[in-house]
Amino acid sequence: MPPKTSAERLTKSAVAERALRIGDTDGLEAITIRRLAQELGVTPMALYWHFKNKDELLLGLIDHVLAEVRADRHATDPWPDQLRAMVEALVRAMRAHPCLPDLLHAADKQQVEGFTRATDDALGLLERAGFTLEEAYWVASYLLHAAIGLVQAQPGCPLAVPPDQVDEWLRRQRLHLEGLPPQQFPHMVRLADSYRSLPDLERYYSFGIDLVMGAVEKMAAGRPVAS
């Protein structure tokens, strides 16, 4: 049997991963069928077996990335543990693929099976917490946008700053805050000290998830829990 060609070896997952790499480094506009085919070493026609056009490709990327955002822990686990695990998985996916927040805004995610499945899983958990179905949808939307906000507001040096310029970036941020009028902005001046080193991002994300989940759990407290 003759060896498979590059096009025959091409999988939907491999196409999605390469497209995400392009989006993460150069933005969503850089993701084109032509460029993707060039990087994968195939003709554009080879990609049409998996995605008919760019719109379908973008939807496929969301579906690929959200594959692990689901309530698949043990059924007896408390609903907050399962919901937190979903939020953590979503945040991990966004940290791994910086283009994902823009992708979620740009594409019609309602057409994505993975997004619909994740939403349905979240609704089921939130109904168990005592929310009505409509309230559960509001909470699920809040958690999605909170996760996007956490990633987009990540503190520290912007990714565009080269590693050898990080110390200088920190110094400039610190000097700017230290130079503010202390009587007018006392807390901002004190904040300057936090720019002596890069922030602990793991602590930041843990704190942020605690913050958003704490709000959900507090609202659920006292509600009749579904059996």
Side-chain angles (χ1 to χ4, degrees):
M1 180 180 296
K4 291 184 178 181
T5 65
S6 296
E8 291 172 326
R9 289 196 301 268
L10 198 60
T11 65
K12 197 168 188 176
S13 178
V15 174
E17 284 295 328
R18 183 58 64 95
L20 285 166
R21 191 183 309 170
I22 294 172
D24 290 337
T25 56
D26 299 329
L28 294 185
E29 291 302 316
I31 303 176
T32 65
I33 297 295
R34 181 176 297 277
R35 175 171 174 181
L36 196 50
Q38 289 176 341
E39 295 206 3
L40 291 168
V42 298
T43 65
M45 286 300 298
L47 300 182
Y48 293 137
W49 285 100
H50 300 300
F51 305 104
K52 296 177 182 177
N53 51 50
K54 182 172 178 176
D55 289 340
E56 191 172 298
L57 171 61
L58 295 182
L59 294 175
L61 299 186
I62 297 175
D63 199 41
H64 177 75
V65 174
L66 296 185
E68 296 185 9
V69 182
R70 60 187 314 155
D72 57 359
R73 295 167 63 92
H74 196 280
T76 59
D77 282 355
W79 71 264
D81 293 351
Q82 296 195 57
L83 191 61
R84 176 182 290 267
M86 290 185 68
V87 175
E88 289 172 342
L90 180 58
V91 168
R92 279 196 306 272
M94 291 185 183
R95 292 179 68 183
H97 297 292
C99 71
L100 182 56
D102 289 339
L103 192 54
L104 289 170
H105 285 305
D108 183 4
K109 51 188 175 290
Q110 302 297 338
Q111 297 185 43
V112 179
E113 182 178 344
F115 180 82
T116 303
R117 185 210 61 246
T119 304
D120 192 75
D121 284 354
L123 294 179
L125 292 172
L126 290 162
E127 277 198 311
R128 281 175 52 186
F131 294 100
T132 67
L133 187 58
E134 185 178 32
E135 291 170 340
Y137 184 76
W138 295 340
V139 175
S141 297
Y142 158 74
L143 291 174
L144 170 64
H145 290 93
I148 292 173
L150 272 177
V151 176
Q152 292 186 326
Q154 177 178 297
C157 192
L159 295 176
V161 176
D164 62 348
Q165 296 179 25
V166 170
D167 288 344
E168 176 61 16
W169 182 88
L170 288 168
R171 186 185 74 84
R172 290 185 179 184
Q173 301 304 309
R174 188 171 66 251
L175 290 177
H176 168 70
L177 292 175
E178 289 174 344
L180 294 173
Q183 288 83 11
Q184 189 175 0
F185 306 110
H187 304 294
M188 295 296 290
V189 172
R190 288 171 51 208
L191 185 64
D193 198 54
S194 68
Y195 284 92
R196 295 192 179 280
S197 61
L198 291 173
D200 181 344
L201 291 182
E202 299 311 314
R203 179 170 174 265
Y204 163 76
Y205 280 108
S206 177
F207 180 90
I209 293 172
D210 283 345
L211 187 65
V212 297
M213 284 298 302
V216 176
E217 291 179 43
K218 183 174 181 179
M219 287 199 70
R223 290 170 179 264
V225 178
S227 57

